Amino acid sequence: MLRAELAALRDELDARVRGEADRVIAEIRAVEVRDRRDTLAAGEREAVAGSARFVREHLADAVALPGPSATLEYALGQAPSGGMALEFGVYRGDTLRAIAAHRGDGRVHGFDTFTGLPETWRPGFPAGAFDDVGELPEVPGAELVAGLFDDTVDRFLAAHPGPVDFLHVDSDLYSSARTVLEAVGPRLRPGSIVLFDEFFNFPGWERHEARAWWEYAEKHGVRHDYVCYTHDNEQVAVRIDDAGTAPPS
């Protein structure tokens, strides 16, 4: 009886060892394929390398932070007070709640279609992505503005005079970020903070929020400093030194 039980136990252990070995081998093969043949993985490596180069060349004096929430908190702490805080790209309202709680003055406004991206952004984020919000989120201390930015921002600004102290661009798309910057940019003042949620560190990053910012700053003669970024994610914040006036001649 004891011999039979030992034999059964040995067979069970052998099967477990074989199963674990097969699992490890499969994972090693998957890593090998990802390293040698996965085009998306290659794009991610190139994006990290390009972002690291950008950090070395432009963000040497900026504060590196360990996560999006830490970057948001730091950026909020750098912004002046007395003006508005605007977020473009609310989704479920998590960052807007943090902004409203930090500002605490009721002059916080969040813009979103609440029906998903109007066009494809990058692999894995087609038109309609982020359309799972359902009912508009509840964000105490903030006003929500629903609709395409092209349809809402100019009308909103016409009814809300005054400077913008904090601008959170979480629009993903180049076209959306460009719309936001052209509309809100004239309301920025020296000291205002612009935080981009998807500035770099993903394949194609140079074609979206980063591109919109570079084009806007050059077109309007905006002088700025990079103040902080997330070292292992996509967020970058800038401080306005001179908001500019008109496209340089």
Side-chain angles (χ1 to χ4, degrees):
M1 177 68 72
L2 179 59
R3 182 175 297 175
E5 290 178 352
L6 289 174
L9 180 60
R10 184 179 63 248
D11 291 343
E12 180 182 352
L13 289 174
D14 287 345
R16 289 184 179 181
V17 169
R18 286 194 302 271
E20 185 65 17
D22 289 344
R23 184 188 67 78
V24 171
I25 291 170
E27 289 185 1
I28 291 173
R29 287 175 177 169
V31 169
E32 181 184 17
V33 169
R34 179 175 171 82
D35 185 59
R36 293 191 301 108
R37 299 177 60 87
D38 190 318
T39 57
L40 292 178
E44 290 170 358
R45 290 193 295 272
E46 291 174 359
V48 171
S51 300
R53 204 160 40 243
F54 184 82
V55 168
R56 289 194 303 271
E57 294 174 358
H58 301 282
L59 304 184
D61 295 327
V63 177
L65 293 158
S69 60
T71 303
L72 174 64
E73 188 66 23
Y74 186 88
L76 282 166
Q78 300 299 303
S81 60
M84 293 183 289
L86 307 182
E87 177 177 69
F88 289 83
V90 174
Y91 191 38
R92 293 175 177 168
D94 292 339
T95 55
L96 190 62
R97 290 187 192 95
I99 295 169
H102 183 96
R103 300 289 291 184
D105 59 6
R107 302 192 69 191
V108 178
H109 310 271
F111 299 73
D112 203 305
T113 64
F114 298 103
T115 58
L117 293 174
E119 61 188 74
T120 295
W121 174 29
R122 71 198 217 204
F125 298 91
F130 308 115
D131 64 346
D132 57 342
V133 175
E135 295 183 357
L136 267 60
E138 293 186 7
V139 185
E143 174 193 3
L144 299 181
V145 182
L148 292 170
F149 301 158
D150 281 325
D151 298 334
T152 60
V153 63
D154 288 338
R155 184 168 61 249
F156 171 87
L157 291 172
H160 295 77
V164 172
D165 292 335
F166 185 82
L167 173 62
H168 187 208
V169 181
D170 190 0
S171 62
D172 307 330
L173 301 165
Y174 163 75
S175 58
S176 298
R178 182 184 59 190
T179 294
V180 170
L181 291 170
E182 287 293 344
V184 180
R187 297 290 190 90
L188 300 173
R189 56 177 171 170
S192 292
I193 297 294
V194 184
L195 172 61
F196 296 92
D197 200 60
E198 293 86 19
F199 190 92
F200 68 175
N201 212 16
F202 63 89
W205 64 270
E206 303 95 328
R207 299 193 298 270
H208 292 287
E209 291 178 3
R211 175 189 170 191
W213 172 247
W214 295 333
E215 289 180 352
Y216 177 81
E218 181 177 3
K219 176 181 176 182
H220 295 281
V222 177
R223 291 192 294 108
H224 64 279
D225 293 315
Y226 292 99
V227 295
C228 64
Y229 64 98
T230 311
H231 66 76
D232 61 352
N233 210 287
E234 302 172 1
Q235 297 73 35
V236 173
V238 303
R239 178 190 294 109
I240 304 300
D241 296 324
D242 184 337
T245 53
S249 58

